[in-house]
């Protein structure tokens, strides 16, 4: 358990870094293509890149490390170290009721809601804010919009590695510390943006940059807590992040378009203030409900008591039926021999 908790931070940081790394490439490239060849070229370029990346995924992906041709026995054993060993049939039986009744898991999902609300606001509407409020050109917006996600990506990697190396405090304290650093820091920057005017565009850009970067510290918070606490069922826990992202993508446009229809500085004050409040509230809930040990339904004992016991009973019944059939056949043979 300790090994798993101490080695997931950097891995999770790299795994979820696509959210920040992609805009670093797409924003400046899209701006350049839009100026030189028009909007259609932006879609052709990204469509081609998507096909290449998906082909690479289909070629290299394997469901387990042991089946991958590039993973040796020594590396595979290190990956499996400390993990619960369950058969495929049992692994497919996800304990939905136990997961959904665990406050710690809800703390992770609520934390992800605050994170993705801020991420969607920054990455979807930063270019709009820069263009209409800060009066930047299209080329300037393309370059400036790539800086915050790049900074956030680097902070993610640094905080993920730091959360693995810090060993003098408990895991639950690290979860709370990194999540608070990310959410409260970003919320403070949004609060400042909700107060200052657009007459100082460099200050506004700096606050956007710092806010986006600090939010990358969440990899040591709810991001790391998800696989560390749900272990072999993390595919369900982290998979629900997609639902939260989708919900944020639906909600944020309604908030921005409803509060800032004319994209003025005063209207954006309200937008930044609301998202700052969401960050503060979700972080508070996360810190109160989060725990530092894997959930009970990830243990071998719980799985055996709740899943395997039924299977063992079925196997026992099948064996008894088989024994009865064998006994019947033997009796029939004896009767025939006597006749």
């Amino acid at each position: 358990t300790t090994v798993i908790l101490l080695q997931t931070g950097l891995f999770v940081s790299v795994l979820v870094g696509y959210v920040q790394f992609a805009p670093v490439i797409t924003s400046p490239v899209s701006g350049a293509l839009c100026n030189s060849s028009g909007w259609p070229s932006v879609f052709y370029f990204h469509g081609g890149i998507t096909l290449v990346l998906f082909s690479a995924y289909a070629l290299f992906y394997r469901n387990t490390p042991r089946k991958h041709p590039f993973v040796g026995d020594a590396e595979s054993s290190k990956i499996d170290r400390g993990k619960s060993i369950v058969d495929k049939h049992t692994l497919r039986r996800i304990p939905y009721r136990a997961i959904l009744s665990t406050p710690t898991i809800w703390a992770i999902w609520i934390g992800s809601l605050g994170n993705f609300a801020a991420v969607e606001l920054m990455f979807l509407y930063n270019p709009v804010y820069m263009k209409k409020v800060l009066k930047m050109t299209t080329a300037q917006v393309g370059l400036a919009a790539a800086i915050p996600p790049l900074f956030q990506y680097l902070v993610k990697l640094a905080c993920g590695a730091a959360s693995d190396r810090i060993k003098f405090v408990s895991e639950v304290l690290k979860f709370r510390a990194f999540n608070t650093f990310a959410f409260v820091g970003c919320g403070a920057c949004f609060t400042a943006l909700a107060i200052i005017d657009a007459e100082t565009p460099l200050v506004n850009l700096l606050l956007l940059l710092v806010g986006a970067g600090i939010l990358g510290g969440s990899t040591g918070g709810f991001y790391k807590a998800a696989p560390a606490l749900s272990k072999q069922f993390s595919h369900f826990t982290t998979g629900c992040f997609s639902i939260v992202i989708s919900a944020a993508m639906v909600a944020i446009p309604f908030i921005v378009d409803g509060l800032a229809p004319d994209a003025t500085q005063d209207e954006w004050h309200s937008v930044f203030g609301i998202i700052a409040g969401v960050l503060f509230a979700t972080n508070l809930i996360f810190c109160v409900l989060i725990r530092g040990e894997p959930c009970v339904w990830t243990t071998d004992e719980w799985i055996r008591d709740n899943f395997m016991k039924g299977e063992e009973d079925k196997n026992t019944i099948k064996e008894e039926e088989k024994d009865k059939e064998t006994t019947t056949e033997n009796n029939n043979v004896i009767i025939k021999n006597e006749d």
Side-chain angles (χ1 to χ4, degrees):
T1 299
T2 304
V3 173
I4 294 174
L5 289 173
L6 292 177
Q7 294 181 350
T8 55
L10 182 58
F11 174 77
V12 170
S13 300
V14 176
L15 185 65
V16 301
Y18 68 91
V19 178
Q20 289 72 35
F21 190 69
V24 173
I25 300 174
T26 59
S27 294
V29 170
S30 297
L33 289 174
C34 184
N35 280 338
S36 61
S37 305
W39 276 109
S41 62
V42 176
F43 294 99
Y44 289 132
F45 173 79
H46 288 90
I49 293 297
T50 300
L51 289 175
V52 172
L53 293 177
F54 179 78
S55 299
Y57 165 80
L59 179 63
F60 291 108
Y61 178 78
R62 299 294 186 277
N63 198 38
T64 60
R66 293 188 179 278
K67 294 182 178 180
H68 204 289
F70 298 156
V71 178
D73 293 336
E75 184 179 1
S76 180
S77 64
K78 290 182 179 179
I79 295 173
D80 293 337
R81 188 182 305 162
K83 294 182 173 63
S84 298
I85 300 176
V86 294
D87 59 90
K88 291 182 179 179
H89 179 69
T90 303
L91 190 59
R92 292 191 185 102
R93 298 182 61 179
I94 301 173
Y96 294 109
R97 181 179 297 179
I99 293 175
L100 294 176
S101 61
T102 304
T104 299
I105 300 302
W106 282 101
I108 293 171
W109 289 338
I110 291 172
S112 71
L113 177 61
N115 175 83
F116 293 125
V119 167
E120 295 299 331
L121 175 67
M122 288 187 290
F123 295 168
L124 288 180
Y125 286 96
N126 265 1
V128 176
Y129 179 77
M130 294 175 184
K131 179 76 173 179
K132 295 186 176 181
V133 178
L134 301 184
K135 308 301 181 182
M136 300 174 64
T137 64
T138 302
Q140 289 174 335
V141 169
L143 291 174
I147 298 176
L150 175 60
F151 187 33
Q152 187 174 120
Y153 178 70
L154 296 176
V155 173
K156 268 192 170 185
L157 296 180
C159 288
S163 67
D164 289 341
R165 293 179 177 276
I166 295 175
K167 302 179 181 179
F168 55 86
V169 295
S170 64
E171 287 299 322
V172 66
L173 184 58
K174 286 194 289 185
F175 292 154
R176 291 169 177 165
F178 278 100
N179 214 78
T180 300
F181 165 74
F183 281 39
V184 173
C186 183
C189 291
F190 280 4
T191 302
L193 285 168
I195 298 174
I196 66 173
D197 295 324
E199 283 74 18
T200 55
L202 290 178
V203 176
N204 293 58
L205 283 175
L206 181 62
L207 287 171
L208 287 174
L209 173 62
V210 174
I214 290 177
L215 191 61
S218 60
T219 50
F222 80 91
Y223 264 127
K224 182 179 179 179
L229 303 187
S230 56
K231 295 177 67 176
Q232 68 268 36
F233 301 113
S234 62
H235 57 287
F236 173 75
T237 306
T238 57
C240 289
F241 288 166
S242 298
I243 300 176
V244 179
I245 293 174
S246 300
M249 291 180 68
V250 172
I252 293 301
F254 280 103
I255 294 175
V256 175
D257 294 339
L259 296 177
D262 300 321
T264 63
Q265 179 66 35
D266 291 336
E267 292 174 341
W268 270 92
H269 283 168
S270 300
V271 175
F272 285 124
I274 288 177
I275 302 302
V278 170
L279 285 168
F280 295 144
T282 53
N283 179 70
L284 178 62
I285 297 172
F286 174 84
C287 290
V288 170
L289 298 179
I290 197 63
R291 297 294 179 267
E293 292 295 327
C295 299
V296 64
W297 34 263
T298 64
T299 61
D300 294 336
E301 293 78 9
W302 192 94
I303 293 172
R304 281 196 298 268
D305 293 341
N306 292 271
F307 286 165
M308 293 185 178
K309 185 177 180 181
E311 295 299 323
E312 291 173 356
D313 293 341
K314 291 180 182 179
N315 292 334
T316 302
I317 293 173
K318 289 180 179 179
E319 290 177 359
E320 291 177 352
E321 291 176 349
K322 187 176 181 180
D323 291 339
K324 289 180 181 180
E325 292 176 358
T326 303
T327 302
T328 302
E329 292 177 357
N330 291 336
N331 291 336
N332 292 335
V333 170
I334 293 172
I335 293 172
K336 287 181 181 180
N337 290 334
E338 291 178 350
D339 293 340

